Amino acid sequence: AQSVAQPEDQVNVAEGNPLTVKCTYSVSGNPYLFWYVQYPNRGLQFLLKYITGDNLVKGSYGFEAEFNKSQTSFHLKKPSALVSDSALYFCAVRDLSGGSYIPTFGRGTSLIVHP
Amino acid sequence: DSGVTQTPKHLITATGQRVTLRCSPRSGDLSVYWYQQSLDQGLQFLIQYYNGEERAKGNILERFSAQQFPDLHSELNLSSLELGDSALYFCASSVEGDPIGNTIYFGEGSWLTVV
């Protein structure tokens, strides 16, 4: 079975500082990994995904994520945080080998960027 | 705007009642997913339809049912509603030519409050 863990319920960072939102996964086969962002009272918006290829994936709004197979991690990063980045972030994984390719989502991490 | 349309945006109803949530997927997307988001359970997968046929079922209660119509829009029916059914219900869609790698795109959600 596939699973995703977001070990931090909340991440606080000052505006202008780099940010990292952590995600670890567990799958039987090759993982397909996604990050989404949810602003208050809105739906989930796709940020980026890793399917294959370069371990560093670039996405929307200046976000990037690094796939690390040995650590089974897919952390979301941004070099310089903005107050407008404050939102709920979800990591998700898909894995066909388990027989189901329905995305499994983490519980979400609330990112708070302080002015 | 993801291109996934959900109606109604907000709904307040009494316990024991029945409601129908509607979803129009992005143009060209054959696959529709329904998720439930609540504070204590996070984002839970309910059910998936592909081109009119049920493809995968998750933690969907027997009181809930869904269908996808020939024009690809989908409806989620919730009956005998209980207070605990209060949640944000998301519809998402994807192309599913490559079921693993394809991104799923979410609508803005339907807020259901059961009183």
Side-chain angles (χ1 to χ4, degrees), chain A residues 47-48 57-65:
Chain A
L47 278 179
L48 51 80
V57 179
K58 294 187 183 298
S60 307
Y61 313 120
F63 284 94
E64 58 189 27

Side-chain angles (χ1 to χ4, degrees), chain A residues 30 32 34 36 38 41-46 49 51 88 90 94-96 100-107, chain B residues 33 35 37 39-43 45 48 55-56 88 90 96 99-104 106-108 111:
Chain A
N30 292 321
Y32 294 79
F34 303 79
Y36 288 82
Q38 184 180 25
N41 301 315
R42 302 295 302 277
L44 277 71
Q45 296 179 33
F46 168 71
K49 67 181 178 183
I51 304 299
L88 190 57
F90 290 93
R94 298 179 103 169
D95 169 30
L96 180 60
S100 169
Y101 47 80
I102 300 301
T104 297
F105 285 81
R107 293 190 61 86
Chain B
Y33 304 77
Y35 282 83
Q37 185 181 33
L39 284 176
D40 55 344
Q41 295 292 326
L43 198 62
F45 166 68
Q48 180 206 4
R55 174 167 274 192
L88 184 54
F90 284 113
E96 292 305 304
I100 295 298
N102 273 333
T103 301
I104 66 170
F106 284 79
E108 293 292 301
W111 275 101

Side-chain angles (χ1 to χ4, degrees), chain A residues 54-115:
Chain A
D54 289 340
N55 289 341
L56 187 64
V57 179
K58 294 187 183 298
S60 307
Y61 313 120
F63 284 94
E64 58 189 27
E66 186 170 11
F67 171 66
N68 188 317
K69 189 172 183 178
S70 62
Q71 296 185 7
T72 61
S73 66
F74 188 56
H75 300 332
L76 181 69
K77 300 181 180 183
K78 187 173 182 182
S80 179
L82 300 172
V83 172
S84 57
D85 292 330
S86 299
L88 190 57
Y89 290 80
F90 290 93
C91 182
V93 66
R94 298 179 103 169
D95 169 30
L96 180 60
S97 66
S100 169
Y101 47 80
I102 300 301
T104 297
F105 285 81
R107 293 190 61 86
T109 298
S110 178
L111 173 66
I112 299 175
V113 181
H114 302 277

Side-chain angles (χ1 to χ4, degrees), chain B residues 35-92:
Chain B
Y35 282 83
Q36 179 193 58
Q37 185 181 33
S38 59
L39 284 176
D40 55 344
Q41 295 292 326
L43 198 62
Q44 297 287 317
F45 166 68
L46 296 178
I47 197 163
Q48 180 206 4
Y49 278 81
Y50 176 76
N51 203 20
E53 300 288 329
E54 181 184 308
R55 174 167 274 192
K57 191 176 266 193
N59 300 320
I60 188 167
L61 300 173
E62 286 191 10
R63 300 183 284 108
F64 296 179
S65 64
Q67 54 184 328
Q68 186 179 26
F69 295 86
D71 67 352
L72 301 179
H73 92 271
S74 178
E75 293 181 355
L76 179 67
N77 301 295
L78 315 174
S79 61
S80 302
L81 285 167
E82 302 174 358
L83 296 178
D85 298 326
S86 296
L88 184 54
Y89 291 85
F90 284 113
C91 171

